[in-house]
Amino acid sequence: MIIIPFFNGEEGSALVCTEIIATIGIPFNEEAVNEKVTYSLKYGIRSFRFNLAKCSSEEELEYFEKIIRNLTQNKSMQHCKIMLDLPFPGRKTRISFVDNHFTYDFESGETVTITGEKNKFRDFNTKVIFVDNENICRSVSTGQKLIYSDGDCVLSVLEVDDEQDCVIAKVSNTIKMYTKKSLSYNYVAKELNGQQYIDLVNRVKPSSVAFSFVTDLSDLLTCRNGILDKDIEIISKIETADSIKNADEIASSSNLMLGRGDLLLNSEICRLYEYQSEISKTAKRRSKKLYIATGILTSLRRQPIPTPAEMIDLYNIISCRPDAIILNAEIFIGENVEAAVKLIRDTAAQI
């Protein structure tokens, strides 16, 4: 695996190492996953995060499990580590479209209907976005902004129609939206039936498990109690204002992952750097591992050189001394994985 060594600059300090972890998103086919893993191995990355957030059916989970099993049986993966990132105990709202369309185009200023009542679909006069939250009308209010994906578009609520069980909203900019992308509005759904994910963990036996939207210690204990192999590393994702508030008690029983993308959407946006620094200190105080994820060198998916802001961000991340940096799945679709690894290594050498 890629291990980046650096000193913390203090006299008598020990050598600290940061690992690079590649994210594997929802697999459309096994060949694409194998290609992505092979590409990562070429550059020394031997830790892989499988993000199950968009797996919405038992069939998809079974397919994901098959791919992971086939990968782990490959000789080149013998010394690799697998992390399962589960949408449990909390999950984001996900969208879909009429007739199972994969994408839908929206124009700036266009009015759309958002509803959680897919089985009661009516012929609305606007394009329809389905959400997997049947209580969407009770979850939002007029004037509220709903954020598509990681901020690619904002849907401003114009009207909440309780009688029709729908929300009317205006699109901020022209965009192509994709099914299973997220819609954020300071609402995290509690996944009441997480047994299917725990069963998957017990069958696959990954190196580590990351639990999403852990807000307090009781959330964490509920999740980890069903895991049979006590050698599996437990990681709590810090993604909301409540998670930040309760981070110290959460860290008493697990390692921490700072999920910066969702934290940005579910807390005070201007305090993100403060939160990152605070969680870093909490992990050190509790002698727990720290993982930092989301938004790291993301421009490399489409261009060979990162932005100045990304390089400053990378410097600040490495200054937090994380045990691992998790790179988004999109980076591994492009041709700049080598550039990302080199930038992280060279930046670490400057600190």
Side-chain angles (χ1 to χ4, degrees):
M1 69 195 71
I2 288 287
I3 298 290
I4 303 169
F6 53 84
F7 291 95
N8 67 13
E10 297 175 2
E11 186 177 353
S13 62
L15 187 66
V16 181
C17 294
T18 293
E19 180 181 354
I20 297 178
I21 299 176
T23 297
I24 308 295
I26 186 168
F28 291 104
N29 61 74
E30 190 168 358
E31 183 180 350
V33 173
N34 288 334
E35 182 179 342
K36 187 178 291 189
V37 169
T38 300
Y39 192 45
S40 302
L41 290 171
K42 177 181 177 181
Y43 297 109
I45 297 175
R46 295 188 177 278
S47 291
F48 300 91
R49 166 184 170 248
F50 285 83
N51 186 3
L52 277 67
K54 297 179 184 178
C55 286
S56 56
S57 67
E58 289 187 11
E59 291 76 15
E60 288 175 335
L61 279 176
E62 289 174 1
Y63 186 52
F64 223 146
E65 180 178 354
K66 174 190 171 186
I67 287 177
I68 294 172
R69 287 188 180 280
N70 290 343
L71 273 177
T72 53
Q73 291 171 4
N74 189 316
K75 287 185 178 180
S76 63
M77 290 284 290
Q78 282 182 349
H79 301 291
C80 293
K81 296 194 292 186
I82 299 293
M83 175 194 295
L84 292 187
D85 192 331
L86 309 179
F88 175 67
R91 62 172 177 80
K92 295 188 283 190
T93 297
R94 299 282 173 179
I95 69 170
S96 59
F97 304 112
V98 176
D99 297 329
N100 294 320
H101 282 218
F102 184 65
T103 67
Y104 238 105
D105 293 315
F106 296 91
E107 299 295 327
S108 175
E110 184 174 0
T111 300
V112 299
T113 299
I114 304 170
T115 180
E117 298 289 344
K118 193 168 187 176
N119 296 328
K120 300 178 183 178
F121 174 67
R122 306 167 185 80
D123 292 324
F124 293 108
N125 295 324
T126 65
K127 291 178 183 175
V128 178
I129 298 175
F130 293 117
V131 293
D132 57 0
N133 174 15
E134 293 183 357
N135 299 317
I136 184 71
C137 288
R138 293 193 290 275
S139 305
V140 304
S141 57
T142 302
Q144 189 171 347
K145 297 185 183 302
L146 317 183
I147 304 171
Y148 166 75
S149 190
D150 290 329
D152 297 336
C153 179
V154 172
L155 303 173
S156 299
V157 178
L158 302 176
E159 178 187 353
V160 177
D161 190 334
D162 292 308
E163 185 176 331
Q164 294 291 321
D165 290 319
C166 68
V167 172
I168 310 300
K170 185 171 72 172
V171 180
S172 64
N173 52 280
T174 299
I175 189 171
K176 181 186 292 291
M177 292 189 186
Y178 293 82
T179 190
K180 294 194 176 182
K181 284 289 189 178
S182 63
L183 200 63
S184 299
Y185 44 97
N186 286 323
Y187 172 85
V188 176
K190 287 295 182 182
E191 183 59 67
L192 300 178
N193 182 20
Q195 191 59 47
Q196 59 182 336
Y197 301 115
I198 300 302
D199 290 343
L200 176 65
V201 170
N202 289 331
R203 291 195 301 269
V204 173
K205 295 181 174 61
S207 305
S208 60
V209 175
F211 290 111
S212 298
F213 294 104
V214 174
T215 57
D216 53 35
L217 186 58
S218 63
D219 269 354
L220 172 61
L221 296 179
T222 298
C223 296
R224 68 178 300 165
N225 282 344
I227 297 178
L228 301 178
D229 188 344
K230 302 308 177 184
D231 290 330
I232 294 175
E233 178 189 353
I234 305 298
I235 304 167
S236 295
K237 295 171 69 178
I238 305 300
E239 302 172 282
T240 67
D242 286 339
S243 301
I244 293 290
K245 182 175 65 176
N246 299 317
D248 188 68
E249 69 169 19
I250 294 170
S252 69
S253 297
S254 77
N255 294 323
L256 302 178
M257 182 194 298
L258 187 66
R260 305 191 310 169
D262 286 307
L263 185 59
L264 179 78
L265 304 175
N266 294 288
S267 65
E268 296 181 51
I269 188 171
C270 294
R271 298 181 65 186
L272 187 61
Y273 177 77
E274 176 188 341
Y275 294 148
Q276 181 169 288
S277 177
E278 183 178 330
I279 295 303
S280 173
K281 292 175 183 176
T282 298
K284 287 180 175 60
R285 185 170 60 252
R286 286 286 190 175
S287 299
K288 300 296 185 179
K289 288 185 178 180
L290 173 64
Y291 297 78
I292 296 183
T294 316
I296 302 170
L297 300 174
T298 53
S299 69
L300 292 183
R301 64 186 176 184
R302 60 181 182 276
Q303 64 189 49
I305 304 296
T307 66
E310 286 176 325
M311 289 309 301
I312 293 170
D313 178 48
L314 179 62
Y315 187 95
N316 286 330
I317 289 172
I318 296 177
S319 295
C320 288
R321 312 304 193 245
D323 294 270
I325 290 174
I326 300 177
L327 295 179
N328 287 11
E330 290 81 2
I331 291 180
F332 296 89
I333 296 174
E335 300 177 353
N336 297 313
V337 175
E338 182 179 15
V341 171
K342 186 176 187 303
L343 284 167
I344 295 172
R345 182 190 297 122
D346 290 350
T347 302
Q350 304 299 316
I351 297 177

